[in-house]
Structure formats: structure tokens, C-alpha cells
Amino acid sequence: MDESRIKVYKIGDVAKILGISADSMRYYEKMGIVKPYKVKSNDYRYYEAWDINFIIDCLWFKQFGFGMKEIAQMVSSISYDELEDTLRIASRQLREELSFQKMLLSRLEEQVNHLEVSKTLLNQCDIQDSPEVVYYLNRHGYLYDDTPEIQQLSKQWLPYLSFGKRFFYTTEIDTRDALSWGFSMDKIYASELKLDQSPLVYPLSHDRCIHSVFKKAGKYGISAQSLRYIVDYANREGIRLHGSAYGQLLCSVREDDTMTGYFEVWLPIQE
């Protein structure tokens, strides 16, 4: 091949060809992916089509989520079999991530639908089967549980709070500060994420309940007494309550210049 016919490109030219920055080009050089020819008199860098091919390979791998250190090895010294294994592992990881993202999308769409439906239930009572959930409690009244077991459990749940809900629980509706707080999660998600295996995580099965949505404004707006209107409804309708009340924070929004919480609540009944 007549080397005199090989064209070379300055760093700015390559950046324009590939749609990347000159800083990215220098980073690829720093990583040892490309080794441009440098003119000693002015320190200009010159690249051949050969160098550009390596950078294109880097951009291809990068879009699959590979890190630069891994990419540098993949474009310079990896064997055929090693490349096949690496791509197979990445494919499996991407499939797992896709499954997680689909589950996250499902959870988000559920929440949008839940907010829409809950608007029609504000301060109203109906009879429904409660969802099947698991929960744990980490605050009683205004006092957090700082035991190592609860702290460890919270760390396990923290990365998956998007699948959970702020959960409250009370056995004493007529007392001011009897609410306990924690987190709940639909059993289907908890099982998939393996968050239902601690003895401190309790199940709640489907139960026939009085179901309602209410709102409370301000820092200390909600208490067990907030549920008194549901007890009054049960008394008027001749419904016997059976078990503890529990529910979730649906959302916190600003209304009339005050932060206001919307809460969904369930009170099991005896049929």
C-alpha cells in the first residue's frame, strides 16, 4: 500500500467526524485506546482511519453500558472467546435491568392510577378487600426505632423505596399519638425483590375492610384520632370493626400554602 496516500486528521477533524469532543479524544488517548502521531514542533495530534475505527468501537461498546477501563481492554487485547463471554454476561445483566425497569414502570403507572381514583374517595367510606402487603415499623409516635435489626432492615429496603409506601398502623383510634410508622410493599413486589424474608417484616392478607381516603394539613396533622370519622361511619351502618387500622401516605402536596398529606386507610370489619 502506498502510505503516501493515507490521510491523517487533526483532533478537531476527528471530533467533528464522530460528533464527540476533543476532550473525549484526549481521554481515549490517555486510556491507551488510540496513539496518534504527534509533531514535536507543535504537539499537534494526527489520526489515521485506523485510529478512528478504534474510537467507533469504543462508542459502540459504551452504548451498552461498558465502562471505559473495560472498553479499553475490549478494543485492544480481548480474545474472540473472551469477547463472546463478556457480551453474553452483559446481555444477561441488561435483561435483568430491563426486567427491573418494567417492574418500576408498572409501579409508577399504578401510583398514577391510584392517585386518580383516590380523589373520588376523599372523606368517603366504602367496603373493599384490602391489598396483600408486607410491612415493617420503624417509628412509634415520633420516636424512631434505632435498634441494629431495624436499621439493617431499612438499609435493605432503601434501594427499593419506589416500590414501597409510607405505612401507618394503629390499634388505638381514640388516642392522640398512637400511630406507628414504617414502610409497606405489595407482596408481589416484596417477593420478587426478596424483601419479605425478615422476621421483622409482617404480612397483611386480603381482608374485608372499610376503606377511605382523607387529608390532613400541617406538620402534626395526622393522628389516630384522624380515623374517628370512619368509626362513626361503622357505628351508623351497624358494621363491627375487627382488628387494627392501617394505611399509607398517598402523597404530600402544597394546598393553601401548607403542606398537606393525603392518606389511604383500611379498617378490617367482621362479617
Side-chain angles (χ1 to χ4, degrees), residues 10 28 60 65 77 79 127 138 147 183-184 203 208 238 253 271:
K10 292 182 180 179
Y28 289 130
W60 192 85
S77 60
S79 70
I127 307 298
N138 66 350
T147 59
F183 295 97
S184 69
R208 202 65 175 164
V253 295
E271 294 186 300

Side-chain angles (χ1 to χ4, degrees), residues 225-243:
Q225 288 179 325
S226 303
L227 311 181
R228 185 68 216 180
Y229 77 100
I230 305 176
V231 176
D232 294 339
Y233 167 83
N235 292 335
R236 289 195 307 270
E237 299 296 323
I239 298 172
R240 294 182 62 185
L241 299 177
H242 176 69

Side-chain angles (χ1 to χ4, degrees), residues 16-31:
K16 290 179 181 179
I17 291 170
L18 298 178
I20 61 177
S21 67
D23 286 341
S24 295
M25 294 291 299
R26 296 186 186 95
Y27 183 68
Y28 289 130
E29 179 184 347
K30 180 180 178 181
M31 295 296 295

Side-chain angles (χ1 to χ4, degrees), residues 107 133 161 163-167 182-186 248-249:
R107 172 70 186 98
V133 303
L161 285 186
F163 296 98
K165 304 162 187 174
R166 289 286 308 281
F167 180 82
F183 295 97
S184 69
M185 188 177 295
D186 288 353
Q248 63 159 319
L249 171 68

